[in-house]
Amino acid sequence: MIKIAPSILSANFSCLGEEIKRVAEAGADLIHIDVMDGTFVPNITIGSPVVKCIRNCTNLDFDVHLMVEHPETHVDAFAEAGADSITFHAEVARHSHRILQQIKAHGIKAGIAVNPGTSLAMIEELLPDLDMVLVMTVNPGYGGQHFIESQLEKIHMLYHTIEDMGFDCDIEVDGGINEETSKLVIEAGANILVAGSYIYGAESAEQAVASLRG
Ligand code: DX5
Ligand code: ZN
């Protein structure tokens, strides 16, 4: 089953609660929350107090994507604020296995993200412990960038590794997802699709969400 996760990075932050309800009513499966620290990526976005404030806007799961250095110092705050899954980047984690256990200790799902320039070899040892791998299909930091086609092969390889080994691990893709690229990533093996500008920029969020399911 394909799940659609609108990224609130492209929402109108002056009425964030309404913007979350709008995509929930449009058929979203998860709410994707992009946390940026101004160091790992240039922008600063959403902190755990904001997540706590928006937690009661919807019953949908909160999928928190940490684009931050030292993710271990932020995991507990986001879990306590209401995250249902937390994903951190392979590129910043010195003790990634330990961070996965830290996330899971909160009874929530744990994921790891890989940038377009990062090899799957960085995370292969972690696959038995992962609930999700997030394959970035743009370089992290901004909404509205172009999909990087070379990542399709990575998604495909990851899909086959997970299948062959019998792991229970979702493949999420993030960046440049629209009506056309969604078909490519689903064919390659992704099952959770993040989309920001495509859904929030659409005239009908409902049609946009439906069009991504393939
Ligand atoms: C990029 C973020 C994405 C972003 C995707 O760094 O992780 O979640 O919101 O935006 P679109 O779908 O517009 O590429
Ligand atoms: Zn994201």
Coordinates of all heavy atoms in Angstrom, one line a residue, residues 142-212:
Y142 N 15.5 22.5 1.0 CA 14.5 23.4 0.4 C 13.4 22.6 -0.2 O 13.6 21.5 -0.7 CB 15.1 24.2 -0.7 CG 16.3 25.0 -0.3 CD1 17.6 24.4 -0.6 CD2 16.3 26.2 0.4 CE1 18.7 25.1 -0.2 CE2 17.4 26.9 0.7 CZ 18.6 26.3 0.4 OH 19.8 27.0 0.8
G143 N 12.2 23.1 -0.2 CA 11.1 22.5 -1.0 C 11.2 23.0 -2.5 O 12.0 23.9 -2.8
G144 N 10.5 22.4 -3.3 CA 10.4 22.8 -4.7 C 11.6 22.6 -5.6 O 11.7 23.2 -6.6
Q145 N 12.5 21.7 -5.3 CA 13.6 21.4 -6.1 C 13.3 20.2 -7.1 O 12.3 19.5 -6.9 CB 14.8 20.9 -5.2 CG 15.2 21.9 -4.2 CD 16.5 21.4 -3.4 OE1 17.6 21.5 -3.9 NE2 16.2 20.8 -2.3
H146 N 14.2 20.1 -8.1 CA 13.9 19.0 -9.1 C 14.4 17.6 -8.6 O 15.4 17.5 -8.0 CB 14.7 19.4 -10.4 CG 14.0 20.4 -11.2 ND1 12.8 20.1 -11.8 CD2 14.3 21.7 -11.4 CE1 12.4 21.2 -12.4 NE2 13.3 22.2 -12.2
F147 N 13.6 16.7 -8.9 CA 13.8 15.3 -8.6 C 15.1 14.8 -9.3 O 15.4 15.1 -10.4 CB 12.7 14.5 -9.2 CG 12.7 13.0 -9.0 CD1 12.3 12.4 -7.8 CD2 13.1 12.2 -10.1 CE1 12.3 11.1 -7.7 CE2 13.1 10.8 -9.9 CZ 12.7 10.3 -8.7
I148 N 16.0 14.1 -8.5 CA 17.2 13.6 -9.0 C 17.1 12.1 -9.4 O 17.0 11.2 -8.6 CB 18.3 13.7 -7.9 CG1 18.5 15.2 -7.5 CG2 19.7 13.2 -8.5 CD1 19.5 15.4 -6.4
E149 N 17.0 11.9 -10.8 CA 16.7 10.6 -11.4 C 17.6 9.5 -10.9 O 17.2 8.3 -10.9 CB 16.7 10.7 -12.9 CG 15.6 11.6 -13.5 CD 14.7 10.7 -14.4 OE1 14.9 9.5 -14.6 OE2 13.6 11.3 -14.8
S150 N 18.9 9.8 -10.7 CA 19.9 8.8 -10.4 C 19.5 8.0 -9.1 O 20.0 6.9 -8.9 CB 21.3 9.4 -10.2 OG 21.3 10.3 -9.2
Q151 N 18.6 8.6 -8.3 CA 18.2 7.9 -7.1 C 17.3 6.7 -7.3 O 17.1 5.9 -6.4 CB 17.6 8.9 -6.1 CG 18.5 10.0 -5.7 CD 19.9 9.5 -5.2 OE1 20.0 8.9 -4.2 NE2 20.9 9.8 -6.0
L152 N 16.7 6.6 -8.5 CA 15.8 5.5 -8.8 C 16.5 4.2 -8.6 O 16.0 3.2 -8.1 CB 15.2 5.6 -10.2 CG 14.2 6.8 -10.3 CD1 13.8 7.0 -11.8 CD2 12.9 6.5 -9.5
E153 N 17.8 4.1 -9.1 CA 18.5 2.9 -9.0 C 18.8 2.5 -7.5 O 18.7 1.4 -7.1 CB 19.9 3.1 -9.8 CG 20.8 1.9 -9.8 CD 20.1 0.6 -10.4 OE1 19.2 0.8 -11.3 OE2 20.5 -0.5 -10.0
K154 N 19.0 3.5 -6.7 CA 19.3 3.3 -5.3 C 18.0 2.7 -4.6 O 18.1 1.8 -3.8 CB 19.7 4.6 -4.6 CG 20.1 4.5 -3.2 CD 20.2 5.8 -2.5 CE 21.5 6.5 -2.8 NZ 21.6 7.8 -2.1
I155 N 16.9 3.3 -5.0 CA 15.6 2.8 -4.4 C 15.4 1.4 -4.8 O 15.0 0.5 -4.0 CB 14.4 3.7 -4.9 CG1 14.6 5.1 -4.4 CG2 13.1 3.1 -4.4 CD1 13.7 6.1 -5.2
H156 N 15.6 1.1 -6.1 CA 15.5 -0.3 -6.6 C 16.4 -1.3 -5.9 O 15.9 -2.4 -5.5 CB 15.8 -0.2 -8.1 CG 15.5 -1.4 -8.9 ND1 14.2 -1.8 -9.1 CD2 16.2 -2.4 -9.4 CE1 14.2 -2.9 -9.8 NE2 15.4 -3.3 -10.0
M157 N 17.6 -0.9 -5.7 CA 18.6 -1.8 -5.0 C 18.1 -2.0 -3.6 O 18.2 -3.1 -3.0 CB 20.0 -1.1 -5.0 CG 20.8 -1.5 -6.3 SD 22.2 -0.4 -6.5 CE 23.0 -0.4 -4.9
L158 N 17.7 -0.9 -2.9 CA 17.3 -1.0 -1.5 C 16.1 -2.0 -1.4 O 16.0 -2.8 -0.5 CB 16.9 0.4 -1.0 CG 16.4 0.5 0.4 CD1 17.5 -0.1 1.4 CD2 16.1 1.9 0.8
Y159 N 15.1 -1.8 -2.3 CA 13.9 -2.6 -2.4 C 14.3 -4.1 -2.4 O 13.8 -4.9 -1.7 CB 13.0 -2.2 -3.5 CG 11.8 -3.1 -3.7 CD1 10.7 -2.9 -2.9 CD2 11.8 -4.2 -4.6 CE1 9.6 -3.7 -3.0 CE2 10.7 -5.0 -4.7 CZ 9.6 -4.8 -3.9 OH 8.5 -5.6 -4.0
H160 N 15.2 -4.4 -3.3 CA 15.6 -5.8 -3.5 C 16.3 -6.4 -2.3 O 16.1 -7.5 -1.9 CB 16.3 -6.1 -4.8 CG 15.4 -6.1 -5.9 ND1 14.5 -7.1 -6.1 CD2 15.1 -5.2 -6.9 CE1 13.7 -6.8 -7.2 NE2 14.1 -5.7 -7.7
T161 N 17.2 -5.6 -1.7 CA 17.9 -6.0 -0.5 C 16.9 -6.3 0.6 O 16.9 -7.3 1.3 CB 18.9 -4.9 0.0 OG1 19.7 -4.6 -1.1 CG2 19.7 -5.4 1.2
I162 N 15.9 -5.4 0.8 CA 14.9 -5.6 1.9 C 14.1 -6.8 1.6 O 13.8 -7.7 2.5 CB 14.0 -4.3 2.0 CG1 14.8 -3.2 2.6 CG2 12.8 -4.6 2.8 CD1 14.1 -1.8 2.5
E163 N 13.7 -7.0 0.4 CA 12.9 -8.2 0.0 C 13.7 -9.5 0.2 O 13.2 -10.4 0.8 CB 12.5 -8.1 -1.5 CG 11.3 -7.1 -1.8 CD 10.0 -7.6 -1.2 OE1 9.5 -8.7 -1.7 OE2 9.5 -7.0 -0.3
D164 N 14.9 -9.5 -0.3 CA 15.7 -10.7 -0.2 C 16.0 -11.1 1.2 O 16.0 -12.3 1.5 CB 17.1 -10.5 -0.9 CG 16.9 -10.3 -2.4 OD1 15.8 -10.6 -2.9 OD2 17.9 -9.9 -3.1
M165 N 16.2 -10.1 2.1 CA 16.5 -10.4 3.5 C 15.3 -10.6 4.3 O 15.4 -11.0 5.5 CB 17.4 -9.3 4.0 CG 18.7 -9.1 3.3 SD 19.8 -10.6 3.3 CE 20.4 -10.6 4.9
G166 N 14.1 -10.2 3.8 CA 12.9 -10.4 4.5 C 12.7 -9.4 5.6 O 12.0 -9.7 6.6
F167 N 13.3 -8.2 5.5 CA 13.2 -7.2 6.5 C 11.8 -6.5 6.4 O 11.2 -6.4 5.3 CB 14.3 -6.1 6.4 CG 15.7 -6.7 6.7 CD1 16.7 -6.3 5.8 CD2 15.9 -7.5 7.7 CE1 18.0 -6.8 6.0 CE2 17.2 -8.1 7.9 CZ 18.2 -7.7 7.1
D168 N 11.4 -6.0 7.6 CA 10.1 -5.2 7.6 C 10.5 -3.7 7.7 O 10.6 -3.1 8.7 CB 9.3 -5.6 8.9 CG 8.0 -4.9 8.9 OD1 7.5 -4.4 7.9 OD2 7.4 -4.9 10.0
C169 N 10.7 -3.1 6.5 CA 11.3 -1.8 6.4 C 10.6 -1.0 5.3 O 10.7 -1.5 4.1 CB 12.8 -1.9 6.3 SG 13.6 -0.4 6.2
D170 N 10.0 0.1 5.6 CA 9.4 1.0 4.6 C 10.5 1.7 3.8 O 11.6 2.0 4.3 CB 8.5 2.0 5.2 CG 7.2 1.4 5.8 OD1 6.6 0.5 5.1 OD2 6.8 1.7 6.9
I171 N 10.2 2.0 2.5 CA 11.1 2.9 1.8 C 10.3 4.2 1.5 O 9.3 4.2 0.8 CB 11.5 2.2 0.4 CG1 12.2 0.9 0.7 CG2 12.4 3.2 -0.4 CD1 12.7 0.2 -0.6
E172 N 10.8 5.3 2.1 CA 10.2 6.6 1.9 C 11.1 7.4 0.9 O 12.3 7.3 1.0 CB 10.1 7.3 3.3 CG 9.4 8.6 3.3 CD 9.2 9.2 4.7 OE1 10.2 9.1 5.5 OE2 8.1 9.7 4.9
V173 N 10.4 8.2 0.1 CA 11.2 9.1 -0.8 C 10.7 10.5 -0.5 O 9.6 10.8 -0.2 CB 11.0 8.7 -2.3 CG1 11.7 7.4 -2.6 CG2 9.5 8.7 -2.6
D174 N 11.7 11.5 -0.7 CA 11.4 12.8 -0.3 C 12.2 13.8 -1.2 O 13.4 13.7 -1.3 CB 11.9 13.0 1.1 CG 11.5 14.4 1.7 OD1 10.9 15.2 1.1 OD2 12.0 14.6 2.9
G175 N 11.4 14.6 -2.0 CA 12.0 15.7 -2.8 C 11.6 15.5 -4.2 O 11.9 14.5 -4.9
G176 N 10.9 16.6 -4.8 CA 10.6 16.6 -6.2 C 9.6 15.6 -6.6 O 9.5 15.2 -7.8
I177 N 8.7 15.2 -5.6 CA 7.7 14.2 -6.0 C 6.5 14.9 -6.5 O 5.9 15.8 -5.9 CB 7.3 13.3 -4.8 CG1 8.5 12.5 -4.2 CG2 6.1 12.4 -5.1 CD1 9.2 11.5 -5.2
N178 N 6.0 14.5 -7.7 CA 4.8 15.0 -8.4 C 4.1 13.9 -9.1 O 4.5 12.7 -8.9 CB 5.2 16.2 -9.3 CG 6.2 15.7 -10.4 OD1 6.2 14.6 -10.9 ND2 7.1 16.6 -10.7
E179 N 3.2 14.2 -9.9 CA 2.4 13.2 -10.6 C 3.2 12.2 -11.4 O 3.0 11.0 -11.5 CB 1.3 13.8 -11.4 CG 0.2 12.9 -11.9 CD -0.9 13.6 -12.7 OE1 -0.8 14.9 -12.8 OE2 -1.7 12.9 -13.2
E180 N 4.3 12.8 -12.1 CA 5.1 12.0 -12.9 C 6.2 11.2 -12.1 O 6.3 10.0 -12.3 CB 5.9 12.8 -14.0 CG 5.1 13.3 -15.2 CD 4.3 14.5 -14.8 OE1 4.9 15.5 -14.3 OE2 3.1 14.6 -15.1
T181 N 6.9 11.9 -11.2 CA 8.0 11.2 -10.5 C 7.4 10.1 -9.5 O 8.1 9.2 -9.2 CB 8.9 12.2 -9.8 OG1 8.1 13.0 -8.9 CG2 9.6 13.1 -10.8
S182 N 6.2 10.3 -9.1 CA 5.6 9.4 -8.1 C 5.5 8.0 -8.8 O 5.8 7.0 -8.2 CB 4.2 9.8 -7.7 OG 3.4 10.0 -8.8
K183 N 5.2 8.0 -10.1 CA 5.1 6.7 -10.8 C 6.5 6.0 -10.8 O 6.6 4.8 -10.6 CB 4.6 6.9 -12.2 CG 3.2 7.4 -12.3 CD 2.7 7.5 -13.7 CE 1.2 8.0 -13.8 NZ 1.0 9.3 -13.2
L184 N 7.5 6.8 -11.0 CA 8.9 6.2 -11.1 C 9.3 5.6 -9.8 O 9.9 4.5 -9.8 CB 9.9 7.3 -11.6 CG 9.5 8.0 -12.9 CD1 10.6 9.1 -13.2 CD2 9.5 7.0 -14.1
V185 N 9.1 6.3 -8.7 CA 9.5 5.8 -7.4 C 8.7 4.7 -6.9 O 9.3 3.7 -6.3 CB 9.6 7.0 -6.3 CG1 10.6 8.0 -6.7 CG2 8.3 7.6 -6.1
I186 N 7.5 4.6 -7.3 CA 6.6 3.5 -6.9 C 7.1 2.2 -7.6 O 7.3 1.2 -7.1 CB 5.1 3.8 -7.1 CG1 4.6 4.8 -6.1 CG2 4.3 2.5 -7.0 CD1 3.2 5.4 -6.4
E187 N 7.4 2.4 -8.9 CA 7.9 1.3 -9.7 C 9.2 0.8 -9.2 O 9.5 -0.4 -9.2 CB 8.0 1.8 -11.2 CG 8.1 0.7 -12.2 CD 8.3 1.2 -13.6 OE1 7.4 2.0 -14.0 OE2 9.3 0.9 -14.2
A188 N 10.0 1.7 -8.7 CA 11.4 1.3 -8.1 C 11.2 0.6 -6.8 O 12.2 0.0 -6.3 CB 12.3 2.5 -8.1
G189 N 10.1 0.8 -6.1 CA 9.9 0.1 -4.8 C 9.6 1.0 -3.6 O 9.5 0.4 -2.5
A190 N 9.4 2.3 -3.8 CA 9.1 3.1 -2.6 C 7.6 2.9 -2.2 O 6.8 2.7 -3.1 CB 9.3 4.6 -3.0
N191 N 7.4 3.0 -0.9 CA 6.0 2.9 -0.5 C 5.4 4.0 0.3 O 4.3 4.1 0.7 CB 5.7 1.5 0.2 CG 6.4 1.5 1.5 OD1 7.6 1.8 1.7 ND2 5.7 1.0 2.5
I192 N 6.3 5.0 0.7 CA 5.9 6.2 1.4 C 6.4 7.4 0.6 O 7.6 7.5 0.4 CB 6.3 6.3 2.8 CG1 5.9 5.1 3.7 CG2 5.8 7.6 3.5 CD1 6.4 5.1 5.1
L193 N 5.5 8.2 0.1 CA 5.9 9.4 -0.7 C 5.6 10.7 0.0 O 4.5 11.0 0.3 CB 5.1 9.3 -2.1 CG 5.6 8.4 -3.2 CD1 5.7 7.0 -2.8 CD2 4.7 8.6 -4.4
V194 N 6.7 11.4 0.2 CA 6.6 12.8 0.7 C 6.4 13.7 -0.4 O 7.1 13.6 -1.4 CB 7.9 13.2 1.5 CG1 7.8 14.6 2.0 CG2 8.1 12.2 2.7
A195 N 5.5 14.7 -0.3 CA 5.4 15.7 -1.3 C 5.0 17.0 -0.6 O 4.0 17.1 0.2 CB 4.3 15.3 -2.3
G196 N 5.7 18.1 -0.9 CA 5.4 19.4 -0.3 C 4.8 20.3 -1.3 O 3.6 20.5 -1.2
S197 N 5.6 20.9 -2.2 CA 5.1 21.9 -3.1 C 4.0 21.4 -4.0 O 3.1 22.1 -4.3 CB 6.2 22.5 -3.9 OG 7.0 21.5 -4.5
Y198 N 4.1 20.1 -4.4 CA 3.1 19.6 -5.3 C 1.7 19.5 -4.6 O 0.7 19.9 -5.3 CB 3.5 18.1 -5.7 CG 2.5 17.5 -6.7 CD1 2.3 18.0 -8.0 CD2 1.7 16.5 -6.2 CE1 1.4 17.4 -8.8 CE2 0.8 15.9 -7.1 CZ 0.6 16.4 -8.4 OH -0.3 15.8 -9.2
I199 N 1.6 19.2 -3.4 CA 0.3 19.1 -2.7 C -0.1 20.5 -2.2 O -1.3 20.9 -2.5 CB 0.4 18.1 -1.5 CG1 0.6 16.7 -2.0 CG2 -0.9 18.2 -0.7 CD1 0.7 15.6 -1.0
Y200 N 0.8 21.2 -1.6 CA 0.3 22.5 -1.0 C 0.2 23.6 -2.1 O -0.6 24.5 -2.0 CB 1.3 23.0 0.1 CG 0.9 22.4 1.4 CD1 1.7 21.3 2.0 CD2 -0.2 22.8 2.1 CE1 1.3 20.8 3.2 CE2 -0.6 22.3 3.3 CZ 0.2 21.2 3.8 OH -0.2 20.7 5.1
G201 N 0.8 23.3 -3.3 CA 0.7 24.3 -4.4 C -0.5 24.0 -5.3 O -0.8 24.7 -6.2
A202 N -1.1 22.8 -5.1 CA -2.2 22.4 -6.0 C -3.5 23.1 -5.7 O -3.8 23.6 -4.6 CB -2.4 20.9 -5.8
E203 N -4.3 23.3 -6.8 CA -5.6 23.9 -6.6 C -6.5 23.0 -5.7 O -7.2 23.4 -4.8 CB -6.3 24.1 -7.9 CG -6.6 25.6 -8.1 CD -7.0 25.9 -9.6 OE1 -8.0 25.4 -10.0 OE2 -6.2 26.6 -10.2
S204 N -6.4 21.7 -6.0 CA -7.2 20.7 -5.2 C -6.2 19.8 -4.5 O -5.5 18.9 -5.2 CB -8.1 19.9 -6.0 OG -8.5 18.7 -5.4
A205 N -6.0 19.9 -3.2 CA -5.1 19.0 -2.5 C -5.6 17.5 -2.6 O -4.8 16.6 -2.7 CB -5.0 19.4 -1.0
E206 N -6.9 17.4 -2.7 CA -7.5 16.0 -2.7 C -7.1 15.4 -4.0 O -6.6 14.2 -4.1 CB -9.0 16.1 -2.7 CG -9.6 14.8 -2.4 CD -11.2 15.0 -2.1 OE1 -11.6 16.1 -1.9 OE2 -11.8 14.0 -2.1
Q207 N -7.2 16.1 -5.1 CA -6.7 15.5 -6.4 C -5.2 15.3 -6.5 O -4.8 14.3 -7.0 CB -7.1 16.5 -7.6 CG -8.5 16.3 -8.1 CD -8.9 17.3 -9.1 OE1 -8.0 17.9 -9.8 NE2 -10.2 17.6 -9.3
A208 N -4.5 16.2 -5.9 CA -3.0 16.0 -5.9 C -2.6 14.7 -5.1 O -1.8 13.9 -5.6 CB -2.4 17.2 -5.2
V209 N -3.2 14.6 -3.9 CA -2.9 13.4 -3.1 C -3.3 12.1 -3.9 O -2.5 11.2 -4.0 CB -3.7 13.4 -1.7 CG1 -3.6 12.1 -1.0 CG2 -3.1 14.5 -0.9
A210 N -4.5 12.1 -4.5 CA -5.0 10.9 -5.2 C -4.0 10.6 -6.4 O -3.7 9.5 -6.7 CB -6.4 11.1 -5.7
S211 N -3.5 11.7 -7.1 CA -2.7 11.5 -8.3 C -1.4 10.9 -7.9 O -0.7 10.3 -8.8 CB -2.5 12.8 -9.0 OG -1.6 13.6 -8.3
L212 N -1.0 10.9 -6.7 CA 0.4 10.4 -6.3 C 0.3 8.9 -6.0 O 1.4 8.3 -5.9 CB 0.9 11.1 -5.1 CG 1.2 12.6 -5.2 CD1 1.7 13.2 -3.9 CD2 2.3 12.8 -6.3

